Amino acid sequence: MRKFNIRKVLDGLTASSSSASQQQQQQQHPPGNREPEIQETLQSEHFQLCKTVRHGFPYQPSALAFDPVQKILAVGTQTGALRLFGRPGVECYCQHDSGAAVIQLQFLINEGALVSALADDTLHLWNLRQKRPAILHSLKFCRERVTFCHLPFQSKWLYVGTERGNIHIVNVESFTLSGYVIMWNKAIELSSKSHPGPVVHISDNPMDEGKLLIGFESGTVVLWDLKSKKADYRYTYDEAIHSVAWHHEGKQFICSHSDGTLTIWNVRSPAKPVQTITPHGKQLKDGKKPEPCKPILKVEFKTTRSGLC
């Protein structure tokens, strides 16, 4: 009986398959008709990277403002950038040419305008009522450093506090100085023998826009009458001020100090605060003053059913 060799059968199948494949390739690509080589013409200079979108919270934020009517949030950064956020998916990016840090932002509420104060002592008025926000006016302070700004609701007067302790008043419509200046020595008079330090707070009384509360870094607070151009009351505390806020009735205000204390004052009782508390300090026995702790950098005076918050 003849033996069956499976290896020879497999070798024959392989040779037959290879021959058929070569014939098929020759039919598709006859000799002399080779595919042309593709010449690469793209060069590195044909490509350029560019920003198409910014995502996430701005880097190194340094100032914040909110328009409660138009629901617009403005964020300034240490590199002079300005980001505007509206409803979800709506935002805009702007940049101050100087690149100086944004130290404060103030909306002209429901007017489509914004004031930015920079670390180079320049104020800018932005027009937001157009597709691309742009600067309408700029004002440069050459002899004094800007430390704080306040723009009352629906007011055309912008109050600008300086490192020297003075307050200048700017007409927002023309963006020029009005000539009305509250000098530091006139504000404190005999309440202190030394310079009160930079202006760290300015706000108008919620019930009387003609009364201006001025906070100096040293701890002195002055209630200034804009019409009579003199101080009504002066309040003194021995710790530096970080923040000041009015009670909504305009009869009291609260200050946060460098030692972690909060002082609450009655407007008509400048001799001493009606209450002094240290929320994060260790309370000592025998009525001693609590140990100093980290300052509260920002305070707001709000009332709830359970009391102050």
Side-chain angles (χ1 to χ4, degrees):
M1 184 176 179
R2 189 177 179 180
K3 293 183 178 180
F4 179 77
N5 193 333
I6 186 64
R7 178 176 295 178
K8 290 184 178 181
V9 174
L10 293 176
D11 290 343
L13 290 174
T14 303
S16 176
S17 175
S18 175
S19 176
S21 177
Q22 290 177 359
Q23 291 178 2
Q24 185 177 5
Q25 290 180 3
Q26 290 176 358
Q27 291 175 359
Q28 293 178 354
H29 305 289
N33 292 331
R34 296 180 179 178
E35 288 186 347
E37 294 183 0
I38 299 175
Q39 296 292 330
E40 294 289 346
T41 59
L42 295 178
Q43 305 294 329
S44 59
E45 56 266 21
H46 295 156
F47 300 89
Q48 183 176 4
L49 296 177
C50 63
K51 292 183 179 179
T52 57
V53 67
R54 286 176 174 83
H55 181 71
F57 198 78
Y59 179 61
Q60 293 182 324
S62 55
L64 191 73
F66 181 68
D67 186 328
V69 179
Q70 297 187 348
K71 309 296 183 183
I72 302 175
L73 175 68
V75 181
T77 72
Q78 293 183 13
T79 57
L82 179 63
R83 292 277 295 277
L84 302 170
F85 300 90
R87 59 174 179 255
V90 178
E91 65 175 88
C92 181
Y93 171 87
C94 305
Q95 176 69 46
H96 293 89
D97 293 337
S98 67
V102 181
I103 61 174
Q104 198 170 353
L105 296 169
Q106 290 275 307
F107 270 107
L108 278 67
I109 303 297
N110 198 32
E111 294 186 24
L114 175 74
V115 174
S116 59
L118 306 188
D120 63 357
D121 310 310
T122 305
L123 304 178
H124 300 283
L125 177 63
W126 290 81
N127 179 14
L128 309 180
R129 297 187 299 271
Q130 55 191 46
K131 187 174 181 180
R132 184 69 180 176
I135 294 176
L136 286 178
H137 302 288
S138 297
L139 182 62
K140 172 73 174 178
F141 282 74
C142 298
R143 298 182 179 180
E144 297 187 64
R145 305 217 64 178
V146 175
T147 55
F148 196 90
C149 297
H150 173 63
L151 181 63
F153 179 61
Q154 293 184 336
S155 172
K156 69 175 183 179
W157 304 113
L158 173 69
Y159 301 96
V160 183
T162 69
E163 190 176 36
R164 292 186 180 181
N166 304 321
I167 295 178
H168 301 266
I169 302 178
V170 177
N171 186 318
V172 176
E173 296 176 353
S174 62
F175 223 63
T176 56
L177 293 171
S178 67
Y180 188 152
V181 182
I182 304 174
M183 303 299 293
W184 69 269
N185 53 350
K186 181 69 174 178
I188 68 168
E189 283 190 349
L190 300 178
S191 62
S192 175
K193 294 182 180 180
S194 59
H195 191 279
V199 175
V200 296
H201 177 82
I202 308 172
S203 61
D204 56 304
N205 188 307
M207 304 303 292
D208 186 354
E209 62 182 12
K211 305 290 185 180
L212 206 63
L213 197 66
I214 306 168
F216 297 94
E217 187 180 61
S218 64
T220 299
V221 178
V222 174
L223 184 65
W224 184 266
D225 189 305
L226 290 168
K227 293 182 180 179
S228 64
K229 298 183 178 181
K230 65 179 183 179
D232 286 346
Y233 300 101
R234 298 177 179 88
Y235 317 83
T236 304
Y237 194 72
D238 57 0
E239 295 291 341
I241 290 176
H242 281 275
S243 178
V244 184
W246 279 103
H247 185 275
H248 68 90
E249 294 180 347
K251 297 179 180 179
Q252 289 185 329
F253 62 90
I254 186 171
C255 302
S256 66
H257 300 273
S258 58
D259 63 346
T261 60
L262 300 175
T263 56
I264 301 176
W265 301 79
N266 281 339
V267 170
R268 298 182 180 274
S269 302
K272 62 178 182 179
V274 295
Q275 188 177 3
T276 302
I277 56 177
T278 310
H280 307 300
K282 183 179 180 181
Q283 302 296 325
L284 303 178
K285 297 181 180 180
D286 303 327
K288 294 182 179 180
K289 187 177 180 179
E291 294 181 354
C293 59
K294 292 183 178 180
I296 298 174
L297 301 180
K298 182 67 176 178
V299 65
E300 290 192 15
F301 206 157
K302 298 183 182 295
T303 54
T304 63
R305 293 181 180 178
S306 60
L308 173 69
C309 68

